[in-house]
Amino acid sequence: MADIGTGQQAIGKIENERAATEKELAALEAELEKANRANKLLEEEKARLTAKIDAISRRRDEFSEKIESREKDLNELNIENSKNEVRIVDLEDEFRDYSAIEPFREFALNDIKKRIPEIEKEIGKLGAINMKSLENFDTFKKEVEDVRQKANKLDEERKAVIEMIAQIDVKKLNVFMECFNHVSAKFSELYYKFFEGEGQLELADKISPLGGGLLIQAKYKEDTMKSIDAMSGGEKSLTALAFLFAIQSYEPAPFYIFDEVDAALDKENSRKVGAMIKEQSSKSQFITISHNDAVINQADQIIGVAMNSHKSSVIGLRLKRGQHAITDNSRPGQLADGGQDDGDDGANAQDDSH
């Protein structure tokens, strides 16, 4: 009996749990029903919003099509406007050809009839119409264009040549002035050193040095300044030699040949010329023809020519430092110390002749 009571208690407990479970299940089913109703409302709202979105999309597409159509129309209008602007420019150019013609005004019929013969007469003066005139015009137009292009090219080449000439003129002037300044300074230095005078070079045209000449002025000792045209023969020789050596100092030549440059000079000036040649011989070789012992005594080597028995005799003499080739008592062919040179006919000079 005890077991039956225990079983009944267990059954009662299970029944209670079942009732509680059923109650809880009913509550959950109610919640589920509520959730289903809410979900249905959301589905309906979703459908409504989707329909609204579709409607908006359709309207957007319609507006896009309208915008595209308007843009197309606008582009066509812009193109047409550009064509009209070009046409206006062409018409303005064409109108210039008829600018001298009076614009049309209303005339009375009788006035127009009176003008018809005049117009027909003017048309008659034009003669027959040349049907090839347009073709000829195109040909001549092309020829004119070709000539114009060639003229433009020649003009560009001319400008390039003018520019190049200007650059060359600048370089030429710079080189000339460099040379002139050097020669002028050296000329003054040499003239003072050897002749105790004052010499100067001046440009005839200082603004355009290459277009003018060169003025040479000098004065000997206490004399007045003279141009080279007003100098005596001896003064001209001294000035010319100083000028020559000034040029030689800028661009030295390997050797020089002087033919009696001392012919118009006295003994003292001849000695100075000889000293000048002697000093410059350290840079170049000088071959000097002279009858003046003041010049000959400055030489390093002498070659003499004399007539003996109706034929020429050539003698050579190399001088030592301090030795004089000719004294007041010397005779042709005789050394300053009284010795006779052993040179034979046709004897040759040494390479370092002075």
Side-chain angles (χ1 to χ4, degrees), residues 294-307:
V295 175
I296 296 174
N297 284 329
Q298 301 286 343
D300 296 323
Q301 181 168 328
I302 300 172
I303 298 174
V305 180
M307 289 292 294

Side-chain angles (χ1 to χ4, degrees), residues 161-171:
V161 171
I162 291 174
E163 183 179 356
M164 182 176 64
I165 291 174
Q167 294 175 355
I168 292 174
D169 287 341
V170 171
K171 292 180 180 179

Side-chain angles (χ1 to χ4, degrees), residues 41-251:
L41 292 175
L42 291 174
E43 289 291 340
E44 292 175 354
E45 182 67 17
K46 176 182 177 182
R48 187 181 66 80
L49 292 175
T50 301
K52 188 175 181 180
I53 290 172
D54 292 340
I56 293 173
S57 297
R58 286 193 298 272
R59 292 189 63 189
R60 182 194 62 187
D61 294 338
E62 291 175 358
F63 282 123
S64 297
E65 291 178 358
K66 290 182 180 180
I67 291 173
E68 184 177 355
S69 177
R70 296 296 183 271
E71 289 179 348
K72 183 178 180 181
D73 294 340
L74 180 61
N75 290 333
E76 291 177 354
L77 289 174
N78 288 332
I79 293 173
E80 187 67 23
N81 185 48
S82 299
K83 291 181 179 179
N84 291 332
E85 289 178 352
V86 173
R87 179 58 179 163
I88 290 172
V89 173
D90 293 339
L91 290 174
E92 288 176 349
D93 292 339
E94 185 177 353
F95 177 74
R96 291 191 187 96
D97 297 335
Y98 304 97
S99 58
I101 300 176
E102 295 182 0
F104 176 78
R105 297 186 180 88
E106 293 184 0
F107 293 97
L109 181 60
N110 292 332
D111 294 335
I112 294 175
K113 289 180 178 180
K114 291 179 181 179
R115 292 195 60 188
I116 289 176
E118 297 177 0
I119 295 174
E120 289 178 346
K121 185 177 180 180
E122 292 179 1
I123 293 175
K125 291 180 180 179
L126 296 176
I129 298 175
N130 184 5
M131 302 304 295
K132 292 186 176 181
S133 59
L134 293 177
E135 181 180 350
N136 294 337
F137 174 78
D138 293 336
T139 302
F140 293 144
K141 182 179 180 181
K142 186 176 183 302
E143 292 178 357
V144 170
E145 186 64 26
D146 292 340
V147 172
R148 184 179 289 110
Q149 291 178 359
K150 292 179 181 178
N152 292 336
K153 184 177 181 181
L154 290 174
D155 186 60
E156 292 176 357
E157 293 177 353
R158 181 183 67 86
K159 291 179 180 178
V161 171
I162 291 174
E163 183 179 356
M164 182 176 64
I165 291 174
Q167 294 175 355
I168 292 174
D169 287 341
V170 171
K171 292 180 180 179
K172 184 168 62 175
L173 179 60
N174 292 336
V175 172
F176 173 80
M177 291 306 300
E178 178 185 355
C179 176
F180 171 77
N181 292 332
H182 175 89
V183 172
S184 179
K186 196 67 177 179
F187 176 74
S188 299
E189 176 187 338
L190 291 174
Y191 209 90
Y192 177 78
K193 180 177 181 180
F194 289 100
F195 309 125
E196 300 176 2
E198 180 182 351
Q200 61 184 20
L201 303 179
E202 291 185 1
L203 296 172
D205 188 349
K206 295 182 180 180
I207 298 177
S208 179
L210 298 177
L214 182 66
L215 303 178
I216 301 178
Q217 294 181 326
K219 67 176 182 177
Y220 183 66
K221 291 186 177 180
E222 301 300 329
D223 199 359
T224 58
M225 187 70 73
K226 301 177 183 177
S227 66
I228 195 168
D229 295 332
M231 295 179 184
S232 64
E235 290 173 337
K236 287 182 179 179
S237 297
L238 296 176
T239 304
L241 285 172
F243 181 61
L244 175 64
F245 285 123
I247 296 176
Q248 184 264 344
S249 68
Y250 184 76
E251 289 287 346

Side-chain angles (χ1 to χ4, degrees), residues 278 296-302 316-326 335-337 352:
K278 183 73 173 179
I296 296 174
N297 284 329
Q298 301 286 343
D300 296 323
Q301 181 168 328
I302 300 172
L317 174 64
R318 182 186 296 276
L319 297 181
K320 298 179 181 179
R321 182 172 298 181
Q323 182 181 8
H324 295 288
I326 300 175
L335 304 182
D337 58 1
D352 57 349

